Amino acid sequence: YIFRKLIKSDQIPSIEELEDMLHGGQLSCNHVDEVWPNLFLGDMYMSHDRYALWRLGITHVLNAAHGKMCCKGSDDFYGTTVKYYGVPANDLPTFDISPFFYPSAHYIHDALSTTGAKVFVHCAVGVSRSAALVLAYLMIYCNYSLVDAILKVKERRWIFPNRGFLKQLIILNNELNYKAQSK
């Protein structure tokens, strides 16, 4: 009930309300789930399985844990048929992931604007860093509110961005609302 109320009233949810919302819905996830047409969200296990990515038709990879011990990735690893973009984010509430919102959203948008492209966004587990970047994409390019973006992704995958990322997504939500109202 509270989430429908938030959606209708355009109120900005608190961190606690967002976390309550994130606890519900889809309670598990696979190594990879399609959360938007041709946009896949997953974990490091899937990121290391080039054959499975090839079978899915993945043409672009966005690694939200680039350079971290478990998620080292590069253009060389995926070869010439897959474009690679790395974001060196730490999954800590103190890490500022917001400078990566627009570049990552742009990368996803450009890729999905290409006929036949499929994008795989991942981090170590596929629920915090990568989920935050997918939510930002839906907010920036698909005009979703943060609440709507969370609900959309949760139809297909359990996600749980850390509190710091949620705060930064709330700020992004506010900025996008302000821009929309200023037009």
Side-chain angles (χ1 to χ4, degrees):
Y1 167 75
I2 191 169
F3 308 116
R4 293 291 160 221
K5 182 180 163 198
L6 286 170
I7 292 167
K8 288 180 182 169
S9 65
D10 284 334
Q11 290 177 353
I12 299 155
S14 69
I15 295 291
E16 292 76 17
E17 290 169 328
L18 288 175
E19 286 178 336
D20 286 346
M21 188 168 102
L22 288 163
H23 280 295
Q26 183 74 289
L27 297 177
S28 64
C29 47
N30 302 301
H31 290 299
V32 62
D33 294 291
E34 187 174 15
V35 296
W36 185 257
N38 299 319
L39 179 59
F40 297 79
L41 184 53
D43 62 18
M44 69 176 173
Y45 178 86
M46 189 64 175
S47 75
H48 295 153
D49 190 342
R50 288 182 288 205
Y51 180 67
L53 293 173
W54 174 78
R55 281 196 344 247
L56 282 174
I58 298 299
T59 58
H60 294 74
V61 171
L62 193 165
N63 177 357
H66 176 77
K68 307 304 170 211
M69 287 294 279
C70 57
C71 291
K72 292 184 178 179
S74 68
D75 288 319
D76 296 339
F77 178 76
Y78 293 105
T80 58
T81 58
V82 174
K83 291 190 165 88
Y84 177 86
Y85 181 65
V87 171
N90 291 317
D91 190 14
L92 299 169
T94 55
F95 184 83
D96 187 2
I97 198 168
S98 66
F100 300 104
F101 287 163
Y102 279 92
S104 297
H106 185 71
Y107 178 79
I108 294 168
H109 178 73
D110 278 359
L112 293 178
S113 298
T114 306
T115 304
K118 292 185 178 182
V119 181
F120 174 58
V121 182
H122 77 89
C123 55
V125 183
V127 299
S128 185
R129 289 171 279 197
S130 54
L133 295 178
V134 167
L135 293 172
Y137 162 74
L138 292 173
M139 294 164 67
I140 293 166
Y141 280 98
C142 302
N143 299 315
Y144 274 64
S145 69
L146 176 55
V147 169
D148 289 340
I150 289 171
L151 292 173
K152 188 66 181 165
V153 172
K154 284 190 62 62
E155 288 175 6
R156 301 291 183 100
R157 183 177 183 85
W158 184 80
I159 58 170
F160 208 93
N162 72 49
R163 279 188 162 210
F165 297 169
L166 289 175
K167 288 177 185 174
Q168 294 165 52
L169 287 164
I170 289 170
I171 292 167
L172 176 64
N173 189 77
N174 294 344
E175 290 170 354
L176 293 170
N177 280 344
Y178 180 77
K179 283 181 189 175
Q181 292 170 2
S182 298
K183 287 184 177 178

